[in-house]
Every structure is written in structure tokens, then in C-alpha cells.
Amino acid sequence: MELRSYIIRRVLLLIPVLIGVTLFIFGITMLFPPAQRATLYVTNMRQLSDLPAIIQKYGLDKPFFVQYGTWLNQVLHGNLGWSRAISMPVAQAIPHLLPATLELAIFAVPLIVLVGIFLGTKAATHKDKPLDHGTRVVAILGWSLPSFWLGLVLMMIFYGYFSGLLPPGRLGVQMDILVDSAAFIRYTHINTIDAILNLNGPVLLDALRHLILPVMTLSVINMAFIMRLMRSSMLESLGKGYILTARAKGLAEKVVVNKHARRNALIPVITVSGYLFAGLASGAVITETIFSFKGIGWWAWQAAVMLDIPSVLAFALFTATLFVVINLLVDILYTRVDPRVRLGGAVQ
Amino acid sequence: MSDWRFTARQLAKNPLSLTGVVIIAIFIIIAIFAPLIAPTPAGQLNSYMIPRDGYWAEPQPPSAAHILGTTQGQYDIFYGVVWGARSAFRVALVVMSITLLIGIVLGSLAGYFGGVLDEILMRITDIFLAFPWLILAMALVVVLGPGLKSVMIALIVVWWPSYARLIRGDILQVREEDYVEAARGLGASSGRVIIRHVLPNAIYPALIMASLDIGAVVLSAAALSFLGLGAPEGYADWGQMTQFAQNWIVGPLDNPLKYWYAVIIPGLFILFFVLGWNLLGDAFRDIFDPRLARR
């Protein structure tokens, strides 16, 4: 019962943030004079002489909140404008390109979380030993690396030096034709999953081959972040009284570390998984751009360099909404994992 | 004075922090002496523009005339990376100081006065923090028109909310201290209490965070330049020079690593610059924040 009212309250708190986000996005477009915004509706040159008529027709000279209402109404009906970057409506572009980005995330997230937690635990149990110093150096190096440069260097080695071993893109030309043919059913548009469902080995292998470098590029920085967080959280947990109790009971060190310390140390790591999403979303723009991995991050970059403002803003609105919702889910999950969190807000 | 000596001794004790100090010192020297290390050719008005030797596209390997070679469009790599150090410091200092200023002013107002003002400011930070950073920065740069100035404005917009919140939180704690109460009791104005008594005791965490964030600011600016949204073409900027190499990562079949210098060198400068700041920031955190240092 308590949890339900907590969820309802949190969802209600979400509304002002989302209104703020839409106001901000819309406010940015209002920085432009009406005539310039009217050009977005122009489809051929002759209409340029009719700008006043277009301003009149779409009410571009009306007061701010009237225009905001019109715009919000359009957005809520799924009309996010036209994307010049890939010549289709934004509302179609996002579902069209999202599977590629999801595919990257499906591989990157478990890699980041598992390796990060594993190395973070090891660093904490070997505090001030060579292993700890080693992971510290790796972590600092990891988040100092420009990911776009890392991607280029990886490609230079594995695409250039090893002549085409791990190529950019999502699939090779042959496989690309194959997956679009009638013989291959697109269940999800996520290549690896579709390949498994179609029991098609060559497509699976080719898809994996194209995934290795982007997934590595996307993972390095976030992995370093989770690793350091896990280390400090683990150290705090290891210093607690219940660890002393567990050791005093004569439990094996492995049980103490894995069962007692790590389980509690994981809680702070869960709370930052929202930030992990933000890191992945930003990283996806860079990674997909370098590897021509055509997902929504690649599309956002295309739109940005073409100064396709409606697409960039629609993308920002989409990721912000997703980010806010994910943070809400994380907070709710948190209450399930950590029973100490009292839903009223105060800690017991 | 003893504070400084204590800090210096702590820095020298840890080999990692010492490495950070040395790296940043080298970059400061490069930035200060850029006109001597890589003199601007006579007749060129803007020193930040990389001189070019011809207009053909293919990068040229290191030679006597261009000791690190030239990148796409015959821009001299050595000149670019040296003056790029100045650009990097400029972006870092401008973005960080304005971010801190905004964070301090808004954070103090919200934390000290509380109430409706606090509520409004915090809800505004919520809105900005709802965006993944690069995506917010990208959207702002596109709207403001690509260029370095837009990049700096965008990064300030991305970073200020975290600082406003951090400073607000610290002020909330400090304003309850007895000495603040005493100053108020003696009839000091709100402005005087904030500036003389509250801020000096609440600002350290923000300064530590700033030292930790400088690397990230430079990395973000470089990423935006790499995406083609930052520095104008030919400007001495490491991110852009990395982008120039994007078409040349794979050489001809018989020599796939032919253009390695164009790819590797600018990126190494970014990596070491950011690494230096991160090592330094990490050390500052250990020294000034004993609560974190124990971990």
C-alpha cells in the first residue's frame, strides 16, 4: 500500500519536470524570429515569398504560451516534425533507428556492470596492493580517454592493420541484402537476436563482428566509472560491524566478501544506473558516428551537422524523457533492494 | 603558507599525483611559450589558425619542414597541437570559472534564503539535469550556431546545475553553524554573512569538484569539435584535428598504418591533458576531503 502511494507521488513529481523540459526545448526554438521558423514549413523555393502567409497560417506570431500549447499538442499526438537528415518524419525515424542503439546497449551494459563490479570488488579486497593500484591507473586512464579517438585507433588496428577483420557499419553488404530478403524474418530489427531466431549462423557471426569495436568504445569510460564506485562502496561495506560479526563467526572470507559485503555494496551502484543511461546515450552519439553504426545516436549527429534543428531537439526531448523515466524506475527498484529506505523519505 | 606546504608535500608523496602535476606543468609551459615553440608565420593575423602548406587532402608524413607531419588539408600538426594547448586551457578556464560563478551565486541564494526561491531554482536544475550531457550540449550548439563560443556556452549550461546544487547543499549545512548565527546576531547584513562567513566554509567541495571536472570539460569540448560542431576549420583544436584524421585511419593495402601520425598525435595530447587534470583532481580530493580519502 505504502509503495503504491510512493509510486503515485513520484509519478506526479515527474510531471513538472517533463513540462519544464518541453518548455525549455520549445523556448529554444522561440529564440528564432517567426520568419526563420516559417522557413521550416517551406517545401519549395517559391513559397519563400509567402513567409508572412505561412506565419499567419501556423500562428507563428501568436503569444508564447499559445504557440507552446499548439506545439505540445502536436508532440503529444506523436508529430515531432520532419527529419531532413534521413528524409522521414521524426516519429518514424526513432523507432526505425532505435533497434541498432538497443543492440549496442544489450552488449555494453552487462559488460560494463559485470566487469566493473568484478574489478571494483577485487580492488577493494586488495586495497593498497598492486592489484588495487593497477585498477586505479586503468580507471583513471579509462575515463581520460577521448572515446572518439579510442574508436579511431581501434579501427586503425582491427580494420586497417588486420585488413578488414572488424569492419564499421552494422552488417557486411551480403548479409545486409540477406536480412532484407524474404528468407529472413525481422522480428526485432536487432540483428543478433533476429539471427538467432532465424537460426542463421553467418548473420549472427557477421553482426557480432561488427559489434565488437563499438561495444568496446562505448564501455571503457562507463566501466571505469562503475569500477571506482564499486571499490569505494565495497570498502565502506567491508568496514561495517556486520562484517566483523561474520568474520568472528568464522565464516570463510569468500562468503564474507561475496555474500555479506558485496550484496550491500551493490546498492549505491544501482542508484547510479540512471547515470549509466546518460553516459550510454551520450556515448552512443560518438560511437555510432565513428563506426557508421546507424542508430539514433548516428542520426542525431547527422541532424546536428546538417543543422536540422527540429530533429536534434526531438532527439533531446526523447532522451530526456527516457532519462527521467529510467531514474524513476531506478528509485522504485531501490526501495525494493534496500529495505532501510522509508517511503516517506526519512531513513529509519 | 603552511597549507600550501602541506598540499605540496601530499602531492609529492603519491607518484600518481606527482605525475599529474608534471603533466599539467608541461602543458602550462607549452601554452605559455607557444609563440616561441611554434612561431606564427609572418603576415598571419590570427595565431590560433594553423598554417597550411598547400591544399591537397592527403596527410604528409613527418619531415624537416613539418616535424610531426601534416594532417588532412596540409595543416601542420606540430603547430596545431602546440597552440591547441592554449585553446584547451582557454576552454577549461572560461567554462569552469563561469560555471563556478553561476553555481556560487545561485547556490548561495537558494541555500541561504531557502523557501520559494530555493524551490524554483532547484526545479530549474532538475530540468537541466534531465538531459544526458552531450545531447543537451549538442542541441544548444546547433541552435546557437556551431563554433567555439557556442561550445563554451553549451558546456556552462550543462555543468552549472550540478554546482548550484552542491554549493546549495553545503550552504544549508554551514548556515546552521554557531558562528553564522553569531554574525547574524551582531547585525551583519545577509550579503556580508554569505560572503564573509558562509561561503568560505562551504566552497571547498565545489573547488575540488571543479578540479575533477576540468578534464571532463576539455574532453567534452574536444568531442563536440570532433563531431564537427566546435572550432572553425583550421583552428588549433585537438578535437578537430582528430576529426581531420577520420578519413585517413586506413592507409593503402600495402601500408595500412600509413597515416598513423595524423590519427595518433592529436589524440595523445587530449589524453595526456585530461589525464593530468584527472590525476591532479583525484589527489586534491584525497588531500582536502578526508572523508573520501579514507576510502
Side-chain angles (χ1 to χ4, degrees):
Chain A
M1 245 15 233
E2 208 182 1
L3 181 67
R4 199 166 77 188
S5 66
Y6 171 77
I7 294 175
I8 292 171
R9 201 174 63 237
R10 283 298 313 266
V11 172
L12 289 178
L13 278 172
L14 204 77
I15 294 167
V17 174
L18 286 177
I19 291 177
V21 166
T22 52
L23 266 176
F24 176 70
I25 292 280
F26 180 72
I28 291 182
T29 65
M30 292 299 277
L31 293 174
F32 297 101
Q36 203 170 340
R37 280 180 287 128
T39 59
L40 293 175
Y41 296 92
V42 170
T43 47
N44 76 55
M45 280 308 183
R46 265 176 304 166
Q47 286 176 307
L48 280 177
S49 54
D50 274 343
L51 285 184
I54 294 174
I55 294 174
Q56 199 71 41
K57 184 178 170 197
Y58 293 101
L60 300 179
D61 50 357
K62 297 251 177 67
F64 183 92
F65 280 100
V66 174
Q67 290 193 51
Y68 171 70
T70 319
W71 176 81
L72 193 63
N73 189 31
Q74 293 287 323
V75 169
L76 291 176
H77 283 88
N79 184 2
L80 292 156
W82 178 261
S83 170
R84 268 195 296 134
I86 56 167
S87 306
M88 60 168 78
V90 171
Q92 274 175 35
I94 292 177
H96 179 68
L97 294 163
L98 196 59
T101 308
L102 281 179
E103 185 162 37
L104 276 183
I106 287 171
F107 286 91
V109 170
L111 186 72
I112 292 166
V113 173
L114 293 179
V115 176
I117 288 174
F118 176 78
L119 288 179
T121 311
K122 283 275 172 246
T125 50
H126 293 74
K127 187 172 184 286
D128 293 329
K129 302 243 173 63
L131 190 94
D132 184 27
H133 293 307
T135 55
R136 181 175 186 168
V137 173
V138 170
I140 294 181
L141 258 176
W143 74 63
S144 305
L145 265 175
S147 57
F148 50 92
W149 180 71
L150 173 70
L152 292 188
V153 173
L154 286 175
M155 212 164 13
M156 192 165 88
I157 298 168
F158 293 101
Y159 182 54
Y161 188 72
F162 291 108
S163 39
L165 181 67
L166 301 176
R170 282 187 74 191
L171 282 176
V173 181
Q174 277 184 327
M175 296 301 160
D176 222 16
I177 295 168
L178 176 66
V179 296
D180 281 337
S181 69
F184 193 91
I185 308 162
R186 305 303 313 247
Y187 297 98
T188 58
H189 285 89
I190 295 174
N191 291 336
T192 44
I193 293 179
D194 284 355
I196 293 171
L197 293 176
N198 280 286
L199 299 174
N200 191 324
V203 172
L204 180 63
L205 281 180
D206 196 53
L208 288 175
R209 199 161 72 109
H210 284 80
L211 272 165
I212 294 174
L213 295 187
V215 167
M216 270 172 77
T217 309
L218 192 53
S219 305
V220 167
I221 296 177
N222 294 300
M223 212 186 277
F225 172 64
I226 296 284
M227 185 168 107
R228 290 303 286 176
L229 187 79
M230 186 65 198
R231 177 185 176 273
S232 56
S233 165
M234 190 72 188
L235 283 178
E236 188 167 311
S237 174
L238 280 171
K240 288 277 166 64
Y242 53 78
I243 297 297
L244 194 64
T245 314
R247 285 194 177 129
K249 279 196 299 189
L251 288 180
E253 186 62 19
K254 208 172 164 186
V255 178
V256 174
V257 170
N258 291 344
K259 286 259 159 71
H260 295 243
R262 181 147 67 186
R263 200 164 283 179
N264 287 292
L266 280 175
I267 292 168
V269 179
I270 292 174
T271 57
V272 299
S273 39
Y275 289 94
L276 187 62
F277 167 79
L280 286 173
S282 297
V285 175
I286 292 171
T287 310
E288 291 178 4
T289 301
I290 308 168
F291 293 101
S292 326
F293 199 93
K294 295 183 180 167
I296 51 169
W298 169 83
W299 166 62
W301 169 71
Q302 282 277 311
V305 287
M306 287 177 73
L307 299 185
D308 177 0
I309 294 170
S311 298
V312 176
L313 292 182
F315 177 67
L317 184 60
F318 175 72
T319 48
T321 310
L322 211 56
F323 190 18
V324 171
V325 171
I326 285 178
N327 272 331
L328 171 73
L329 295 178
V330 168
D331 282 354
I332 292 171
L333 180 68
Y334 187 51
T335 62
R336 311 303 302 158
V337 180
D338 189 350
R340 284 171 304 177
V341 177
R342 302 306 298 161
L343 302 174
V347 176
Q348 203 175 32
Chain B
M1 204 52 211
S2 67
D3 272 1
W4 280 104
R5 213 171 293 158
F6 173 74
T7 308
R9 206 176 308 139
Q10 292 288 318
L11 280 177
K13 230 165 51 181
N14 183 337
L16 281 182
S17 346
L18 199 60
T19 316
V21 174
V22 171
I23 293 175
I24 295 306
I26 293 174
F27 274 111
I28 291 176
I29 292 170
I30 294 178
I32 291 176
F33 295 105
L36 297 175
I37 302 170
T40 310
Q44 185 178 324
L45 293 176
N46 186 352
S47 295
Y48 285 96
M49 299 307 284
I50 311 174
R52 55 198 304 191
D53 188 359
Y55 292 91
W56 63 98
E58 190 184 357
Q60 298 298 313
S63 63
H66 306 285
I67 56 172
L68 294 178
T70 57
T71 188
Q72 173 181 301
Q74 302 319 308
Y75 292 103
D76 185 68
I77 294 178
F78 181 72
Y79 189 95
V81 290
V82 168
W83 285 83
R86 275 200 179 192
S87 317
F89 273 114
R90 207 171 58 153
V91 170
L93 290 178
V94 171
V95 171
M96 220 60 244
S97 50
I98 297 180
T99 300
L100 268 174
L101 193 71
I102 297 175
I104 288 171
V105 171
L106 294 183
S108 316
L109 292 176
Y112 190 78
F113 293 108
V116 182
L117 184 73
D118 183 31
E119 195 60 34
I120 292 173
L121 275 169
M122 287 307 110
R123 293 297 76 80
I124 292 176
T125 59
D126 277 347
I127 293 168
F128 285 94
L129 293 171
F131 293 92
W133 67 269
L134 182 69
I135 289 154
L136 177 58
M138 212 164 89
L140 287 167
V141 172
V142 169
V143 169
L144 295 170
L148 268 187
K149 199 187 277 177
S150 304
V151 166
M152 291 196 261
I153 294 173
L155 292 180
I156 292 167
V157 173
V158 168
W159 254 284
W160 77 267
S162 339
Y163 282 84
R165 292 194 134 178
L166 181 71
I167 290 164
R168 167 188 174 267
D170 291 324
I171 296 238
L172 276 180
Q173 279 178 9
V174 172
R175 85 170 174 184
E176 303 302 330
E177 301 278 344
D178 290 342
Y179 55 82
V180 176
E181 195 55 47
R184 255 196 304 254
L186 289 170
S189 66
S190 295
R192 188 181 162 86
V193 173
I194 293 178
I195 292 169
R196 292 294 300 273
H197 301 278
V198 177
L199 261 184
N201 292 297
I203 204 171
Y204 280 106
L207 293 180
I208 294 168
M209 187 158 117
S211 71
L212 277 163
D213 271 352
I214 287 184
V217 165
V218 172
L219 210 49
S220 313
L224 287 167
S225 280
F226 174 80
L227 292 173
L229 301 172
E233 188 178 340
Y235 195 89
D237 178 287
W238 298 330
Q240 191 194 45
M241 293 175 76
T242 314
Q243 189 214 7
F244 279 169
Q246 208 184 351
N247 295 327
W248 306 96
I249 43 175
V250 178
L253 270 180
D254 57 327
N255 187 8
L257 301 183
K258 188 175 177 192
Y259 308 109
W260 65 271
Y261 47 88
V263 181
I264 299 287
I265 295 168
L268 275 184
F269 273 76
I270 306 177
L271 170 61
F272 277 102
F273 191 86
V274 177
L275 182 66
W277 280 110
N278 283 346
L279 290 171
L280 210 60
D282 222 38
F284 279 146
R285 186 181 53 188
D286 285 355
I287 296 168
F288 293 115
D289 194 343
R291 193 175 56 85
L292 291 167
R294 275 193 290 110
R295 298 184 185 173

